Amino acid sequence: MNLAISNASDFTRWTPPAAALTLSDVTSIPTPPRAGHRPITRTFHDEDVTDNYEWLRDKDDAEVIALLDEENAYTDARTAHLKPLQDKIFGEIKSRTKETDLAVPVLDTGWWYYSRTIEGQQYPIYARVRDTGARPELVAGEAIDGEQILVDGPTLAEGEEFFRLGAFETAPGGNLLAYAVDTSGDERFDLVIKDLQTDEIIDDAIRGIGYGVAFTLEPTHVYYVRVNEAWRPHQVWCHEIGADPNTDELVFQEDDERFWMGMGASRDNRHIVIQLGSSTTGEAHLIDASDSAARPVCIAPRRAGLDYSVEAAADHLLITHNAQHIGFEVARAPLGVAPEDTWQTVLAPAAGERILGADAFESVAVISMRSAGVTTLRILERAEDGSYGEAWDVPTEGEVRTIEIGTNPRPDAREIRYSLASLIIPPSVCEVSLDTRESVVLKQTEVLGGYDPADYTERRIWVEARDGTRIPVSLVARADVTPDGSNPGLLYGYGSYEISIDPSFVISRLSLLDRGVVFAIAHIRGGGEMGRQWYDDGKLDRKLNTFTDFIDVGRYLVESGWVDPARLGAEGGSAGGLLMGAITNMAPELWRVVHAAVPFVDALTTILNPELPLTVGEWEEWGNPIEDEAIYRLMRSYSPYENIAEADYPAILATTSLNDTRVFFVEPLKWVQRLRETVTSDQDERPILLRCQMVAGHGGKSGRYDAWHERAEQLAFILDQLGIED
């Protein structure tokens, strides 16, 4: 690869006017910030491509930070007229939220664990009370007798612009707690170990770890995961609590850059499971948690295309794998080394089913799966001889709902906790009895202000894509909204990594629905909603299906009358942000407004640079354009930054964070620069804006009130462009 860098620098600065701006006063609309051209030429497959904005990648460059500050000031100015609407939406979110609240307590090792929030505080408090034989009757806002505070989020976050926990693990016996803290948003955490008998911090010397912490059975040691320079989890270390971290022992290292690592304790705490995986291949290792000197044992060596994950029970393994079925199956295998020929099928998928994973308990296994695109929990009963027999599904109703297994730390549980929600039904924490098979709702999230699900309707519709494939769509609207061709609409999508965007209830979405907006989720190919084949049909050389599916759903919403053709918006984040960039280039006339959150819009540049975080592991998702010219040409044809057209575009809001490790801020920053200099639409009427959070990560701001303000700003921009002023 040849890089030719010019010395040109014509960086210009913009100073916002002192007075507030209104769009009706055209003369007061400021000029958007413009970065200077500093051409860099890349050469692959005999093609030279010049990039004028790649120099913006360096966040240590004072000019780059100045440009981001100017972008934020410009966005402030262009949205100043929306401040009343932003404040109103924030007030709606706040007024519908029970700010002082309690989570449902979870029983483990003689204690009931829970979190609680306090009105006015950004972060929760994590606490516990002793078990007295029954679930405690806790009341939000009232003093809790015998409460022990484990982590005081508001106190720990004092003075920090960002605060997030990456681990929260109690040791076997319940006397120690390990938690990990990120105060920048880069998802690198500092580990803290607390003695819960004395309430003293006994170890806080380990810095910059990744996700994954587990104690040994006798909690003298703790295992943790380290990430490499590319933010790939690649090592497991064992640390003696209280000892010098320089004496920590490297337990496992994964050198293949395609593979990611997860690590955690089994439900009975007897084993530590190291799970490795690329997009297509899995491998797992087991550590005896009773011996801090034990070394990982490989369960079954990796084989290209064999994707498997492991759940360790007391006397066997449950392995979810795709050796025989594209929909995966669950097999039983002996503890320890368990080559494929020892795997005995426990549950095979029926047509239209995709098995996702297993949770092992003493008397049952709970299988998380999808059936006809809908989430399902299937219970496998264990007979007296330990074999698995009768299977039954936890009963639910409707196609537009999501059921997921909840927090169940006890292997001997006779009630299995799960969550249930839909687009209009607030999340419920439920328990199903293994004895009666009946479920009870322990708590449903309370939505204040007189919320009534009957005021809204939700439905599953199927849209025929251009190649004849039927695309499922989840749609919600106010009950009095009809498909008469006059409604504003917002279409959401993702479509990558076999991640499913299942129906869920979001309080802030009510601010759209109550203003007559039709909201829909397009469950497009590349996601996992319809199984592994659905994912395969939206990746690599079939990636274009993801984008055309979304466009076809958008056109259906217009043609069916659900949405006014002049009032359709689109929204997606991360890989869904790439989707936003692609569909904007491919069908700019279809959208009135697009919100691209932490968008992966400079995909080809990133995937061509194996030194950047995540790149090598992404080659199984997108292809390797360095070695494969056909993949290079394909990515070159859809990578949003490289395909902006001289055409009228929708209004665009790109949102990002300076410390985002997953999608660097430079991608949306470059994108908006090139958009502004290329598109032919009136940018006074359809602005192209960037909002960069200067101390945050991939998920944006961390405090709940800050996050509500952030979402209110986004929704106000969308509503304004859809013609809704109040």
Side-chain angles (χ1 to χ4, degrees):
M1 180 171 65
N2 176 46
L3 294 180
I5 304 176
S6 79
N7 293 320
S9 176
D10 59 352
F11 185 86
T12 59
R13 304 206 177 274
W14 168 78
T15 302
L21 301 172
T22 62
L23 288 182
S24 61
D25 183 6
V26 177
T27 60
S28 68
I29 295 177
T31 301
R34 289 291 176 90
H37 287 191
R38 301 182 187 177
I40 296 175
T41 300
R42 71 163 193 247
T43 301
F44 284 93
H45 304 294
D46 298 321
E47 181 184 42
D48 295 334
V49 176
T50 299
D51 187 345
N52 291 324
Y53 298 120
E54 177 61 16
W55 70 273
L56 296 172
R57 184 172 297 276
D58 184 5
K59 74 175 184 178
D60 294 324
D61 186 328
E63 287 186 306
V64 173
I65 297 301
L67 178 64
L68 290 171
D69 288 338
E70 291 169 0
E71 288 285 359
N72 283 334
Y74 176 67
T75 297
D76 288 341
R78 290 304 310 267
T79 59
H81 67 294
L82 298 177
K83 187 63 167 58
L85 181 56
Q86 293 174 18
D87 291 344
K88 187 172 185 179
I89 293 171
F90 173 83
E92 291 167 0
I93 298 170
K94 189 173 185 293
S95 67
R96 289 172 172 141
T97 302
K98 189 175 182 181
E99 296 176 72
T100 298
D101 204 359
L102 278 161
V104 180
V106 175
L107 179 62
D108 188 26
T109 60
W111 293 84
W112 290 91
Y113 292 83
Y114 56 92
S115 63
R116 57 184 176 88
T117 55
I118 300 173
E119 183 176 355
Q121 299 288 352
Q122 296 262 32
Y123 302 98
I125 292 169
Y126 300 87
R128 68 180 185 177
V129 293
R130 285 195 179 276
D131 179 33
T132 59
R135 183 183 297 112
E137 297 294 331
L138 307 181
V139 179
E142 295 186 6
I144 299 173
D145 291 339
E147 178 183 66
Q148 181 184 15
I149 293 178
L150 307 179
V151 173
D152 186 337
T155 299
L156 285 180
E158 282 183 9
E160 303 289 353
E161 291 187 55
F162 185 92
F163 174 82
R164 182 159 290 159
L165 294 181
F168 186 92
E169 298 291 336
T170 53
N175 292 329
L176 297 179
L177 170 70
Y179 63 92
V181 176
D182 171 17
T183 56
S184 70
D186 66 356
E187 297 181 85
R188 292 170 174 86
F189 303 89
D190 296 337
L191 182 63
V192 179
I193 300 175
K194 184 177 182 179
D195 186 330
L196 298 182
Q197 294 177 298
T198 64
D199 277 336
E200 294 180 350
I201 302 300
I202 59 173
D203 198 325
D204 62 356
I206 300 173
R207 307 288 178 179
I209 69 171
Y211 293 100
V213 172
F215 286 96
T216 52
L217 193 57
E218 292 293 331
T220 57
H221 293 71
V222 65
Y223 294 94
Y224 62 92
V225 172
R226 284 219 178 268
V227 297
N228 63 10
E229 290 299 317
W231 193 68
R232 181 179 66 89
H234 73 132
Q235 293 176 335
V236 174
W237 290 78
C238 184
H239 170 71
E240 182 180 359
I241 297 170
D244 184 343
N246 290 323
T247 66
D248 291 358
E249 191 167 357
L250 178 62
V251 172
F252 184 86
Q253 179 165 313
E254 175 54 58
D255 292 322
D256 190 329
E257 293 185 68
R258 298 172 302 163
F259 282 77
W260 275 59
M261 175 190 295
M263 185 271 293
S266 60
R267 184 167 276 102
D268 62 7
N269 294 310
R270 296 179 183 178
H271 299 92
I272 308 297
V273 179
I274 300 173
Q275 184 68 55
L276 306 167
S278 71
S279 292
T280 61
T281 304
E283 183 178 273
H285 297 247
L286 211 60
I287 302 174
D288 181 354
S290 67
D291 181 4
S292 62
R295 290 295 168 264
V297 173
C298 181
I299 292 170
R302 69 190 62 172
R303 174 169 64 82
L306 174 63
D307 193 354
Y308 80 89
S309 60
V310 167
E311 168 80 353
D315 57 353
H316 65 284
L317 300 174
L318 288 178
I319 299 177
T320 303
H321 68 91
N322 67 341
Q324 308 297 331
H325 301 278
I326 194 171
F328 289 64
E329 67 177 67
V330 179
R332 178 176 179 153
L335 277 170
V337 176
E340 291 179 56
D341 60 8
T342 67
W343 299 359
Q344 299 177 336
T345 299
V346 169
L347 178 67
E353 291 184 341
R354 164 69 159 99
I355 295 174
L356 302 172
D359 283 84
F361 298 85
E362 289 180 2
S363 58
V364 298
V366 181
I367 311 302
S368 297
M369 57 191 299
R370 308 188 69 85
S371 180
V374 179
T375 54
T376 301
L377 291 181
R378 184 162 296 168
I379 309 295
L380 297 182
E381 301 275 4
R382 292 191 71 183
E384 290 185 3
D385 63 1
S387 63
Y388 288 97
E390 184 181 2
W392 51 277
D393 292 352
V394 177
T396 58
E397 296 181 358
E399 290 184 302
V400 191
R401 53 96 181 125
T402 301
I403 183 172
E404 295 177 327
I405 191 166
T407 302
N408 295 277
R410 296 171 54 210
D412 62 347
R414 293 300 300 166
E415 294 84 25
I416 302 299
R417 189 168 292 189
Y418 64 93
S419 64
L420 186 65
S422 78
L423 292 171
I424 63 174
I425 303 299
S428 296
V429 177
C430 308
E431 274 186 354
V432 60
S433 168
L434 299 180
D435 298 317
T436 66
R437 301 187 182 182
E438 294 181 353
S439 291
V440 295
V441 176
L442 301 179
K443 180 173 182 174
Q444 184 176 73
T445 298
E446 189 174 351
V447 182
L448 306 180
Y451 174 75
D452 185 350
D455 293 337
Y456 308 87
T457 58
E458 59 184 354
R459 66 194 73 202
R460 171 64 54 88
I461 57 179
W462 295 85
V463 174
E464 185 172 318
R466 61 193 67 186
D467 65 357
T469 301
R470 297 175 74 235
I471 311 300
V473 178
S474 299
L475 185 145
V476 61
R478 207 174 56 210
D480 61 341
V481 170
T482 60
D484 61 4
S486 68
N487 308 308
L490 183 63
L491 181 61
Y492 187 90
Y494 188 78
S496 292
Y497 305 111
E498 204 180 358
I499 291 173
S500 300
I501 306 299
D502 289 311
S504 63
F505 182 87
V506 181
I507 282 180
S508 63
R509 189 186 299 141
L510 297 177
S511 294
L512 294 175
L513 302 181
D514 286 351
R515 289 172 170 84
V517 176
V518 174
F519 180 85
I521 303 170
H523 304 290
I524 50 184
R525 283 174 282 186
E529 287 89 342
M530 300 298 292
R532 175 54 66 94
Q533 189 63 56
W534 196 253
Y535 167 53
D536 289 342
D537 286 342
K539 63 184 288 194
L540 297 172
D541 59 351
R542 285 169 275 180
K543 189 61 198 174
L544 290 178
N545 287 334
T546 302
F547 314 136
T548 56
D549 284 356
F550 192 87
I551 292 169
D552 291 345
V553 171
R555 288 183 172 145
Y556 167 85
L557 292 176
V558 169
E559 293 166 2
S560 64
W562 275 112
V563 178
D564 181 333
R567 304 177 76 192
L568 176 60
E571 184 175 44
S574 196
L578 184 154
L579 170 69
M580 293 300 100
I583 59 99
T584 302
N585 289 336
M586 295 169 69
E589 76 289 346
L590 186 58
W591 321 102
R592 183 62 178 83
V593 59
V594 169
H595 173 216
V598 289
F600 185 38
V601 283
D602 193 16
L604 184 54
T605 298
T606 296
I607 299 301
L608 284 169
N609 188 347
E611 295 181 1
L612 291 176
L614 312 183
T615 290
V616 175
E618 298 282 293
W619 287 343
E620 290 185 353
E621 179 77 20
W622 313 97
N624 181 351
I626 299 173
E627 302 294 336
D628 188 331
E629 183 174 355
I631 287 293
Y632 173 85
R633 300 295 175 195
L634 178 63
M635 293 193 71
R636 181 81 166 85
S637 74
Y638 70 70
S639 186
Y641 177 65
E642 307 200 27
N643 289 280
I644 299 168
E646 292 185 12
D648 287 352
Y649 268 54
I652 292 174
L653 173 63
T655 53
T656 187
S657 298
L658 183 63
N659 296 328
D660 188 347
T661 302
R662 303 184 188 215
V663 179
F664 282 2
F665 73 93
V666 68
E667 299 204 23
L669 179 59
K670 292 169 61 175
W671 185 49
V672 299
Q673 291 294 320
R674 183 170 280 183
L675 280 165
R676 288 177 185 145
E677 69 183 17
T678 306
V679 304
T680 58
S681 43
D682 183 350
Q683 293 182 43
D684 291 345
E685 179 184 346
R686 298 186 175 193
I688 297 168
L689 304 181
L690 175 71
R691 170 67 73 199
C692 181
Q693 304 299 339
M694 303 304 283
V695 185
H698 197 61
K701 291 187 174 183
S702 57
R704 59 174 176 165
Y705 295 106
D706 290 342
W708 296 348
H709 278 296
E710 188 176 20
R711 187 56 176 157
E713 178 182 58
Q714 296 161 6
L715 293 181
F717 180 81
I718 292 169
L719 288 168
D720 181 58
Q721 289 295 323
L722 295 180
I724 301 170
E725 298 178 356
D726 186 21

